[in-house]
Amino acid sequence: MARRRALQGARSCLLAARAEMSPLARPKWQCIRPYSIQSQEEEIARLPNINPDALSITKTTTPKALLPPEELVFGRTFTDHMLSIEWTASQGWLPPRITPYQNLSLDPASCVFHYAFEAFEGMKVYKTTANELCLFRPDRNMRRLNRSAQRIALPEFDGKAFTDLISRFVKMEQRFIPAARGYSLYLRPTLIGTQHTLGVGPPGSALLYLIASPVGPYYPTGFRAVSLAATSTAVRAWPGGVGDRKLGANYAPCIVPQLEAAKRGYHQNLWLFGEEELVTEVGTMNFFVCLKEKGTGRKVMWTAPLDGTILEGVTRESVLELARERLGAEGWGVEERNFTMRDLAEAADEGRLLEAFGTGTAVVVSPVRKINWRGRDVDCGLKADEEAGEVAARVKSWIDEIQYGDVEHKWTVKV
């Protein structure tokens, strides 16, 4: 035992000494594996970034037939082409390519399959009333995708350059966007680690790609309020985790709790956290409530703060900014603050809970009718013949008119 402890101590000292060496001072025999955990940020930062001028385009020879707009199902139909950009730790970002939509070819040992090196975004391009193509706040999506990449050791990129490429791609695929209100082209940028190794560490290669899917209105016949199951036994995110990043690994664990909620007759989970049962998110959306303050009767809008467990939603940010500008002028308070499920139940019992809704790119606004909590249904303020509250309907209208070009706005980026 003494000899083993001595050897372990010597090994620890040796490792510590090596760690303090600069890369140039390391012995020539010391091999740095491509997947070993080494700080290479400075070297990587000097590598070539995305270059839109290097784009190559190969058009499909078999264009797809267009589906009737009313037959479009979210995420089931895809356009003719895809955009892809490879990255390596030795060469940086390689020339971007637009090619026919096709399967990816990846080694079975690719790290994305084994250790979930994957981040993605959800964004849309809209055809305006003037027949122009517009993106909605793409800078926010680029910023968030880079933050997600940074958190899991995937390469960051020039967001403006990638947005330029997205615009070129969208122009090629614009025939897939129906010229009708409520329709758009859903864009899915995805970044994955592709290095084929079973070693755990920063990937030495990656792939950034974009696919697109034409989509129709989330609620074809108008708003449909949903019911929620308050869930505290399964936790979506926790302090110090990655709940504030858009990673594929955040989504799969939520499916089983959602299925369990569906068996009980509820559409989605309202994720609660901790012994206090803090309200966080709903399903894959940010969550808002409107109520009257106890004592003062002042109308307020609440949503959970960005404390590291909440996704920095683009729609969330937009709702907050519009609400502060427009509802604030009407005397409303708009607050990012912690609140509990007990707070909502108490407000409902006292007639102070006015409405609740989720927000996200796919749906924009999703009104909530009731929340099941501790064996009871908490009513969220809607009348029996209502599918959306006044605030939810107004917020949806405000964002729609910006996205579809009814009003000029700084958030709209013309393609």
Side-chain angles (χ1 to χ4, degrees):
M1 287 294 294
R3 183 173 181 274
R4 180 181 297 176
R5 283 195 296 268
L7 288 172
Q8 287 175 340
R11 183 174 182 274
S12 297
C13 292
L14 177 60
L15 289 174
R18 287 179 181 174
E20 292 174 1
M21 290 182 185
S22 71
L24 295 177
R26 291 191 183 98
K28 290 182 180 180
W29 50 260
Q30 186 177 347
C31 175
I32 303 175
R33 295 173 297 173
Y35 53 84
S36 62
I37 301 176
Q38 303 287 342
S39 178
Q40 301 174 355
E41 292 180 2
E42 291 184 5
E43 287 132 1
I44 288 175
R46 289 194 292 266
L47 294 172
N49 214 309
I50 292 175
N51 180 11
D53 293 334
L55 174 67
S56 65
I57 299 175
T58 303
K59 293 186 177 181
T60 183
T61 57
T62 55
K64 299 174 182 177
L66 298 180
L67 280 179
E70 62 275 11
E71 293 183 15
L72 292 173
V73 177
F74 182 84
R76 298 286 182 86
T77 303
F78 297 93
T79 63
D80 286 333
H81 300 92
M82 62 188 294
L83 166 67
S84 59
I85 318 168
E86 294 182 72
W87 176 90
T88 72
S90 60
Q91 296 175 282
W93 290 102
L94 303 181
R97 301 179 299 133
I98 292 178
T99 60
Y101 187 97
Q102 58 192 277
N103 293 337
L104 299 178
S105 179
L106 294 173
D107 191 287
S110 295
C111 57
V112 63
F113 299 135
H114 302 274
Y115 307 119
F117 285 102
E118 189 266 356
F120 70 96
E121 274 300 318
M123 52 197 299
K124 288 181 178 179
V125 60
Y126 302 85
K127 188 170 286 186
T128 71
T129 50
N131 210 38
E132 296 177 317
L133 301 177
C134 290
L135 294 165
F136 181 72
R137 310 193 79 172
D139 59 312
R140 296 304 195 263
N141 296 100
M142 299 300 102
R143 182 180 68 184
R144 188 170 64 182
L145 185 53
N146 267 319
R147 289 186 71 246
S148 297
Q150 183 273 332
R151 182 63 177 81
I152 58 172
L154 286 173
E156 297 174 60
F157 58 90
D158 183 336
K160 289 184 178 179
F162 190 42
T163 301
D164 184 1
L165 290 169
I166 291 173
S167 296
R168 300 188 198 187
F169 172 84
V170 164
K171 287 179 182 178
M172 289 181 59
E173 308 295 74
Q174 62 181 294
R175 73 184 184 93
F176 286 89
I177 312 174
R181 191 67 162 224
Y183 291 88
S184 59
L185 187 63
Y186 182 85
L187 305 175
R188 175 52 64 88
T190 305
L191 177 60
I192 61 174
T194 56
Q195 183 172 355
H196 49 280
T197 176
L198 298 183
V200 183
S205 61
L207 174 68
L208 174 62
Y209 68 91
L210 173 75
I211 55 176
S213 175
V215 295
Y218 199 88
Y219 297 112
T221 59
F223 278 121
R224 297 289 295 175
V226 299
S227 58
L228 309 178
T231 305
S232 57
T233 53
V235 180
R236 192 201 74 86
W238 51 90
V242 292
D244 60 337
R245 311 301 167 101
K246 205 165 180 65
L247 308 178
N250 284 336
Y251 289 76
C254 297
I255 300 302
V256 169
Q258 182 181 342
L259 293 174
E260 291 171 350
K263 290 177 183 177
R264 296 165 49 206
Y266 297 93
H267 298 92
Q268 280 287 0
N269 304 89
L270 178 65
W271 303 106
L272 307 181
F273 181 76
E275 293 182 1
E276 297 173 276
E277 295 187 307
L278 293 171
V279 174
T280 60
E281 296 191 357
V282 50
T284 59
M285 298 180 286
N286 294 118
F287 184 66
F288 287 80
V289 294
C290 298
L291 66 159
K292 293 180 181 179
E293 278 186 328
K294 193 170 186 176
T296 67
R298 183 180 71 138
K299 292 180 179 179
V300 292
M301 174 188 283
W302 293 347
T303 193
L306 299 177
D307 60 359
T309 67
I310 304 297
L311 184 67
E312 191 176 352
V314 178
T315 308
R316 174 191 181 276
E317 181 183 355
S318 304
V319 170
L320 283 171
E321 292 184 31
L322 291 171
R324 284 172 175 147
E325 173 192 330
R326 303 181 188 189
L327 294 181
E330 300 173 9
W332 281 69
V334 179
E335 304 173 15
E336 298 174 75
R337 52 161 289 173
N338 289 318
F339 58 97
T340 67
M341 190 59 221
R342 186 173 296 280
D343 292 330
L344 297 190
E346 181 181 278
D349 292 342
E350 296 173 357
R352 296 185 293 108
L353 182 55
L354 303 175
E355 59 181 286
F357 54 89
T359 63
T361 297
V363 66
V364 182
V365 174
S366 179
V368 175
R369 182 171 298 282
K370 61 185 178 181
I371 304 169
N372 183 262
W373 175 65
R374 296 192 176 184
R376 57 169 288 201
D377 283 341
V378 176
D379 181 78
C380 292
L382 294 181
K383 297 176 182 177
D385 60 347
E386 286 183 328
E387 295 295 336
E390 178 186 354
V391 174
R394 292 176 71 187
V395 166
K396 176 68 162 61
S397 176
W398 294 338
I399 293 180
D400 275 355
E401 66 183 13
I402 295 171
Q403 292 176 334
Y404 286 97
D406 298 343
V407 297
E408 291 288 332
H409 203 280
K410 62 183 179 181
W411 295 343
T412 299
V413 176
K414 294 180 181 179
V415 172

